[in-house]
């Protein structure tokens, strides 16, 4: 067990190093100031409190989506709808935040619950299509993302658009619904505590409850799970609904913490980032914040690099793709693991037989 | 009744073929890889990358044909990466495909910025467009002429590809091997077919077809590259392949259906329906189509079990 963990840590580190190395190569190829660019990329986020706070701020939506994807991937459901659920969660929070006038203590939780609720309902769609008619949740959730995007934009544009704002945004949200800031001078908000709470709840749910166990068993071996009496169809349903709830909650928290109006003109892409986070974290809720922090760090680093040098920030897409592929690659460094296992077995053999092979 | 007026016009028929073309290419790519037993989720990313390279190289060489070649080369490279990771390093092919798509959507912006100093659109590049073809004789026939003549050359290649893919899969030794590998890799292996080699070939062919689709988007459908211009066509293609039961002809008709939905969305912009709803049409049709197809499969399995 111990060695397995060590192996995974080393493997992840090597995957990250290889991807960083490839990015270094690219930067040296395209930039006229490569060392400057790389130092901004690697240590830029640490150079100012504000930049580091940016890293934490960006971690929040990544944690929510990472958790949402993790729980669905644990059940082997390739539902990519977190993107749309996150977006609609924010739209729902906007509707609640603009149209209602309530005291803060009710208004804020209600807006977050509304976002979670919508997210859960929406990801119920690909889930039910899968469990009832066996329609691929991958394709249907991909299509759903586009539908939800247009639907969300429709709601904002037709009902909540502030025509006096000069650009395409909603009316300002009531101040009673906004998540307070944690630190003056930064955008870091109390949503980070909600994220941490969700990490703990999801860990407990997945590893300490019957339902969580059923999810993990279904993911490991659907046939076996069915054989031992787990209602696989039900598991497929609720794993995706819970994923939707978390993603929707994330959308609401992101909107209420970071914005005062609904401003997105396109899908923010955090749902896809959630996949990267989930793979890095091996679908384990406790590792999700670490993975989210890493992804967030290289994103902010790349942004700083793009702002101050001539390298576009999209260079991180190379890291992301390579990290996913290498970590998900079963055979990547498998030889090393094999020799390690053999060595260990030999050692044990020696010990048990008094140090000789006879 | 304006909708009917629009649907029953020859220009609408023309539009269906125009919108179907990129989906059809990618869907045929999905047919080949699926027959070999690997799902190619990366079609979307391959198309996007091909669309970009087509524009860049055609702008530098002043030749749309070199642009097409570059698009295909980029598609081959992308599918080679996909094949290497999924077949040699045993990465889950869905995850590898997702990774490639993410790479494409960021990577194309990166490259576009380096070449055209813009992160949205390639309008500063003077890229070329592949020629349109007037079909002799056909163009004289009323109704049929305006629908089928005057398309981009790639539209005709796409239609031709339906037949070529059919012949490849069902009339050649390679096609037999591809199908054998997809149906039962162990059995195929036992009679001496190199499973990985065949899957490599299938993925590369699938990538080539998708890159034709990408090249069409930026050098035919429109004459520029814009970020994420594929807009889910690679995924719609997967649905088309599923609905077409994995056969070239079935996939062709399913692609036509999505082409119809897309053309409808483009043409209804003039009506007084919020444009957001109209733009949803192709995606909604895809989900409905997928459900109908999948549920028919389920009931068929049930019937077989009952017998």
């Amino acid at each position: 067990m111990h060695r397995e963990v060590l192996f995974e840590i080393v493997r992840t580190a090597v995957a990250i190093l290889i991807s960083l190395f490839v990015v270094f190569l690219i930067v040296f190829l395209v930039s006229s100031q490569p060392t400057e660019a790389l130092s901004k990329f690697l240590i830029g986020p640490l150079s100012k409190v504000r930049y580091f706070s940016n890293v934490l701020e960006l971690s929040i939506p990544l944690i929510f989506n990472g958790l949402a994807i993790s729980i669905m991937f644990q059940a082997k459901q390739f539902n990519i709808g977190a993107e749309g659920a996150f977006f609609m969660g924010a739209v729902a929070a906007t509707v609640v935040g603009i149209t209602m006038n309530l005291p803060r203590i009710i208004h804020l939780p209600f807006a977050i619950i509304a976002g979670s609720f919508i997210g859960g309902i929406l990801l119920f769609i690909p889930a039910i299509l899968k469990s009832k008619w066996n329609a691929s949740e991958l394709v249907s959730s991909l299509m759903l993302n586009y539908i939800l995007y247009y639907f969300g934009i429709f709601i904002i544009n037709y009902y909540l658009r502030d025509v006096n704002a000069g650009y395409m945004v909603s009316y300002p949200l009531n101040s009673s619904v906004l998540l307070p800031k944690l630190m003056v001078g930064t955008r870091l908000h109390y949503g980070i505590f909600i994220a941490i709470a969700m990490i703990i709840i999801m860990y407990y749910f997945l590893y300490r409850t019957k339902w969580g166990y059923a999810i993990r068993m279904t993911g490991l071996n659907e046939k076996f799970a069915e054989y031992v009496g787990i209602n696989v169809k039900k598991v497929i349903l609720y794993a995706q609904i819970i994923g939707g709830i978390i993603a929707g909650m994330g959308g609401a928290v992101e909107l209420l913490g970071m914005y005062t109006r609904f401003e997105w003109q396109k899908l923010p892409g955090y749902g896809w980032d959630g996949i990267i986070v989930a793979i890095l974290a091996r679908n384990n809720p406790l590792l999700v914040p670490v993975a989210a922090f890493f992804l967030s760090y290289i994103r902010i680093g790349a942004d700083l690099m793009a702002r101050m040098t001539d390298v576009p920030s999209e260079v991180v897409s190379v890291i992301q793709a390579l990290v996913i592929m290498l970590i998900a690659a079963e055979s990547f460094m498998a030889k090393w693991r094999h020799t390690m296992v053999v060595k260990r077995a030999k050692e044990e053999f020696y010990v048990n037989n008094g140090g000789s092979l006879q | 009744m304006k909708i009917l007026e629009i649907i029953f016009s020859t220009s609408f028929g023309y539009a269906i073929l125009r919108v179907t073309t990129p989906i059809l290419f990618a869907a045929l790519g999905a047919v080949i890889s699926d027959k070999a037993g690997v799902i190619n989720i990366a079609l979307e990313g391959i198309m996007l990358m091909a669309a970009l390279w087509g524009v860049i190289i055609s702008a530098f060489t002043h030749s749309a044909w070199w642009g097409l070649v570059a698009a295909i080369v980029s598609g081959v490279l992308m599918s080679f990466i996909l094949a290497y990771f999924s077949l040699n390093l045993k990465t889950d092919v869905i995850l590898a495909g997702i990774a490639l798509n993410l790479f494409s959507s960021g990577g194309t912006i990166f490259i576009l910025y380096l070449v055209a100093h813009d992160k949205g659109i390639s309008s500063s590049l003077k890229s070329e467009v592949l020629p349109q073809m007037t079909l002799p004789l056909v163009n004289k026939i009323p109704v049929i002429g305006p629908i089928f003549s005057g398309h981009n050359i790639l539209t005709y290649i796409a239609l031709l590809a339906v037949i070529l893919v059919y012949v490849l899969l069902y009339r050649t030794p390679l096609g037999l091997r591809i199908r054998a590998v997809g149906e039962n890799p162990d059995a195929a292996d036992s009679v001496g077919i190199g499973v990985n080699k065949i899957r490599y070939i299938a993925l590369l062919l699938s990538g080539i077809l998708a890159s034709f689709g990408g090249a069409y988007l930026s050098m035919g459908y429109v004459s520029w590259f814009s970020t994420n211009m594929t807009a889910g066509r690679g995924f719609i293609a997967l649905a088309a392949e599923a609905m077409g039961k994995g056969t070239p002809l079935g996939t062709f008709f399913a692609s036509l259906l999505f082409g119809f939905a897309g053309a409808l969305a483009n043409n209804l912009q003039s009506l007084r329906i919020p444009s957001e709803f109209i733009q949803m049409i192709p995606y909604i049709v895809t989900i409905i189509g997928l459900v109908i197809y999948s549920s028919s499969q389920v009931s068929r399995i049930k019937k077989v079990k009952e017998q």
Side-chain angles (χ1 to χ4, degrees):
Chain A
M1 188 62 209
H2 219 71
R3 290 191 170 234
E4 280 297 298
V5 174
L6 177 77
F7 174 71
E8 286 301 315
I9 292 173
V10 172
R11 224 168 69 100
T12 309
V14 173
I16 289 173
L17 284 178
I18 291 177
S19 336
L20 283 176
F21 178 71
V22 172
V23 166
F24 288 1
L25 282 183
I26 294 174
V27 169
F28 271 98
L29 274 176
V30 303
S31 175
S32 58
Q33 53 208 112
T35 44
E36 170 96 10
L38 285 178
S39 83
K40 286 277 175 284
F41 174 53
L42 289 178
I43 52 174
L46 297 174
S47 63
K48 274 187 188 167
V49 176
R50 190 159 56 88
Y51 297 155
F52 190 72
S53 148
N54 286 341
V55 174
L56 296 179
E57 289 154 20
L58 181 59
S59 303
I60 299 171
L62 299 184
I63 288 174
F64 278 108
N65 282 296
L67 286 174
I69 299 279
S70 290
I71 197 163
M72 296 191 282
F73 275 16
Q74 286 253 15
K76 276 267 160 57
Q77 297 303 304
F78 283 109
N79 184 327
I80 318 289
E83 180 81 40
F86 183 87
F87 188 77
M88 285 306 290
V91 172
T94 309
V95 173
V96 172
I98 294 174
T99 57
M100 291 181 190
N101 247 325
L102 297 163
R104 171 185 291 270
I105 194 145
I106 306 171
H107 204 176
L108 176 57
F110 186 65
I112 294 176
I113 291 168
S116 324
F117 184 70
I118 294 292
I121 290 186
L122 291 174
L123 291 205
F124 174 70
I125 300 172
I128 189 83
L129 297 185
K130 167 74 176 274
S131 85
K132 247 206 149 79
W133 293 297
N134 205 25
S136 154
E137 78 283 3
L138 182 75
V139 177
S140 67
S141 63
L142 281 166
M143 295 298 112
L144 188 67
N145 284 342
Y146 290 96
I147 296 170
L148 294 180
Y149 163 68
Y150 287 117
F151 187 65
I153 289 291
F154 164 77
I155 292 177
I156 301 294
N157 277 349
Y158 278 76
Y159 298 107
L160 300 172
R161 183 174 169 197
D162 186 353
V163 280
N164 298 320
Y167 51 115
M168 295 268 272
V169 291
S170 74
Y171 294 112
L173 300 161
N174 282 330
S175 61
S176 60
V177 81
L178 299 178
L179 271 164
K181 298 278 183 267
L182 205 58
M183 241 196 305
V184 189
T186 69
R187 290 167 88 190
L188 188 60
H189 54 88
Y190 274 89
I192 197 158
F193 294 118
I194 305 178
I196 292 169
M198 289 313 292
I199 292 165
I200 297 166
I201 294 172
M202 277 307 120
Y203 177 76
Y204 184 83
F205 174 76
L206 268 176
Y207 291 95
R208 296 282 182 278
T209 68
K210 207 173 78 187
W211 300 286
Y213 180 75
I215 287 182
R216 288 185 294 127
M217 280 306 114
T218 306
L220 279 177
N221 189 338
E222 205 179 302
K223 291 238 164 68
F224 177 74
E226 205 158 23
Y227 182 72
V228 297
I230 291 171
N231 188 341
V232 170
K233 291 211 158 166
K234 217 171 86 187
V235 171
I236 290 175
L237 274 182
Y238 71 68
Q240 295 178 68
I241 294 173
I242 294 171
I245 290 174
I246 303 171
M249 182 188 294
V253 167
E254 177 73 358
L255 182 90
L256 304 175
M258 299 289 282
Y259 301 90
T260 55
R261 300 163 182 265
F262 189 93
E263 297 180 6
W264 294 332
Q265 288 305 315
K266 51 180 190 177
L267 289 172
Y270 293 132
W272 292 103
D273 298 339
I275 298 174
I276 306 172
V277 171
I279 291 171
L280 269 171
R282 308 294 194 284
N283 301 332
N284 180 344
L286 288 186
L287 295 177
V288 161
V290 183
F293 181 84
F294 166 73
L295 185 58
S296 175
Y297 189 94
I298 61 170
R299 284 276 171 79
I300 299 296
D303 278 346
L304 291 172
M305 172 175 72
R307 223 184 298 161
M308 298 177 206
T309 68
D310 56 353
V311 184
S313 60
E314 279 76 13
V315 74
V316 286
S317 63
V318 176
I319 302 186
Q320 294 169 2
L322 262 176
V323 163
I324 295 185
M325 299 235 253
L326 288 175
I327 290 181
E330 274 173 35
S331 303
F332 174 57
M333 293 177 64
K335 256 202 190 126
W336 179 62
R337 173 201 221 149
H338 183 75
T339 40
M340 213 163 72
V341 170
V342 170
K343 210 174 117 198
R344 169 116 175 133
K346 269 189 186 157
E347 272 167 20
E348 269 170 19
F349 188 82
Y350 277 123
V351 172
N352 294 341
N353 292 285
S356 78
L357 263 175
Q358 270 81 52
Chain B
M1 284 303 95
K2 206 174 159 196
I3 295 184
L4 290 181
E5 227 171 84
I6 290 173
I7 291 177
F8 288 107
S9 64
T10 51
S11 65
F12 188 73
Y14 179 89
I16 292 178
L17 282 179
R18 181 170 171 268
V19 178
T20 301
T21 304
I23 297 171
L24 180 57
F25 271 125
L28 289 172
V31 168
I32 294 184
S33 67
D34 211 47
K35 275 274 180 289
V38 269
I39 308 169
N40 191 351
I41 303 280
L43 290 169
E44 174 86 3
I46 294 173
M47 279 173 101
L48 191 63
M49 204 43 108
L52 176 68
W53 283 109
V55 161
I56 292 177
I57 299 301
S58 80
F60 281 106
T61 58
H62 305 290
S63 154
W65 296 107
W66 281 115
L68 181 63
V69 170
I72 294 170
V73 170
S74 82
V76 167
L77 278 177
M78 292 271 290
S79 24
F80 184 80
I81 296 172
L82 178 69
Y84 179 74
F85 272 91
S86 65
L87 300 175
N88 293 56
L89 291 182
K90 305 268 179 274
T91 305
D92 183 300
V93 73
I94 293 181
L95 294 181
I98 289 175
L100 274 181
N101 290 337
L102 287 171
F103 167 70
S104 265
S105 84
T108 47
I109 299 176
F110 182 78
I111 299 165
L112 182 66
Y113 181 78
L114 291 180
V115 179
H117 307 289
D118 192 296
K119 282 193 176 185
I121 192 163
S122 70
S123 41
S124 68
L125 295 174
K126 287 212 169 4
S127 61
E128 308 286 324
V129 178
L130 288 159
Q132 291 188 324
M133 272 173 52
T134 311
L135 298 181
L137 294 177
V138 175
N139 69 339
K140 299 281 189 324
I141 309 170
V143 183
I144 306 253
I147 293 179
F148 287 98
S149 180
H151 281 284
N152 189 284
I153 186 160
L154 288 187
T155 301
Y156 300 112
I157 294 181
L159 297 175
L160 206 63
V162 178
I163 301 164
L164 290 179
V165 169
Y166 176 81
V167 172
L168 169 79
L169 286 175
Y170 298 98
R171 294 282 182 274
T172 67
L174 176 63
L176 180 67
R177 290 201 176 125
I178 289 178
R179 286 183 292 132
V181 163
E183 242 157 59
N184 193 335
D186 296 329
D189 191 44
S190 72
V191 293
I193 298 175
V195 175
N196 265 11
K197 192 180 123 198
I198 296 294
R199 287 192 166 155
Y200 255 98
I201 295 172
L203 276 177
L204 291 187
L205 287 174
S206 153
I208 291 172
L209 282 163
S211 38
F212 269 100
Y216 171 80
L217 278 178
S218 64
M219 298 194 296
Y221 192 73
V222 293
S223 57
W224 60 80
F225 174 87
S226 62
T227 47
N228 290 326
M229 72 187 305
T230 40
R233 286 183 179 86
F235 302 132
I236 292 181
L238 290 177
E241 187 267 346
M243 268 177 78
K245 307 199 167 149
T247 67
L249 202 63
T251 303
F252 169 62
F253 285 116
S255 304
L256 270 184
L257 175 70
F258 296 129
F260 176 84
L264 196 64
N266 289 345
N267 275 283
L268 291 186
Q269 314 264 10
S270 56
L271 294 188
R272 291 180 57 194
I273 307 172
S275 67
E276 285 86 357
F277 282 105
I278 289 164
Q279 282 171 302
M280 279 181 206
I281 294 174
Y283 307 107
I284 294 177
V285 169
T286 307
I287 292 189
I288 296 173
L290 186 70
V291 169
I292 294 174
Y293 163 73
S294 311
S295 63
S296 74
Q297 286 298 96
V298 171
S299 58
R300 217 171 61 186
I301 291 168
K302 262 188 199 153
K303 253 184 219 157
V304 172
K305 273 185 184 164
E306 275 162 17
Q307 274 167 7

